[in-house]
Amino acid sequence: MYPADLVKPMREDLTSIGFEELHSVEDVENAMKKDGTTLVVVNSVCGCAAANARPGARISLQNAKKPDNLVTVFAGVDKEATEKARSLMVPFPPSSPSMALFKDGELVHMLERHHIEGRPAEMIAENLIGAYNEFC
């Protein structure tokens, strides 16, 4: 587990733009019952989350079409919630950061760590925007 003071600004990178934090299995289950599209961001303390994933998510939300629901779990902090969210992303192996778009509870688009690491935030945003335009 990471100290709360350490992850607070990393959480706020997403909550300040409308993401709801999911801290328990029940939170994840309830979020995934919602109609429409849901973007799930598996947040992380790593550098690629700070430089690429969170900024990419932020930029992507400037698109006209965007997910109905924005949620996040924090790897290494919200263990049970993260495990539950990752179980919904099968067949993709667990990775963080990662981003998954669901439509009516069904996984329709996935960005794994290897799609995020070393790529600029703008490229990640473009990838997400393509998914939003197709599924949202």
Side-chain angles (χ1 to χ4, degrees):
M1 290 292 204
Y2 297 104
D5 289 348
L6 174 73
V7 299
K8 185 176 187 273
M10 298 172 203
R11 289 180 182 275
E12 290 173 350
D13 274 352
L14 294 176
T15 59
S16 68
I17 58 171
F19 279 81
E20 174 190 357
E21 289 185 302
L22 307 178
H23 301 286
S24 68
V25 170
E26 184 179 17
D27 290 346
V28 175
E29 290 171 345
N30 289 336
M32 298 313 296
K33 290 177 185 173
K34 294 180 181 176
D35 291 333
T37 51
T38 301
L39 178 64
V40 179
V41 174
V42 179
N43 203 350
S44 172
V45 298
C46 72
C48 63
N52 313 82
R54 293 189 300 265
R58 182 180 305 108
I59 294 166
S60 76
L61 297 177
Q62 296 172 12
N63 192 50
K65 289 185 177 183
K66 53 189 144 205
D68 300 306
N69 309 293
L70 305 170
V71 299
T72 182
V73 295
F74 208 111
V77 178
D78 303 315
K79 184 179 180 194
E80 292 82 13
T82 302
E83 288 175 1
K84 179 60 180 177
R86 286 176 170 162
S87 76
L88 303 172
M89 298 173 192
V90 170
F92 298 97
S95 68
S96 55
S98 61
M99 302 179 194
L101 184 65
F102 293 84
K103 184 168 186 170
D104 298 326
E106 179 185 339
L107 179 64
V108 294
H109 188 75
M110 184 74 190
L111 278 172
E112 298 174 83
R113 180 186 175 103
H114 69 89
H115 297 123
I116 296 169
E117 191 173 29
R119 291 182 171 73
E122 294 79 12
M123 183 180 287
I124 294 161
E126 286 176 21
N127 182 297
L128 290 170
I129 288 168
Y132 302 166
N133 289 340
E134 182 175 352
F135 298 107
C136 296

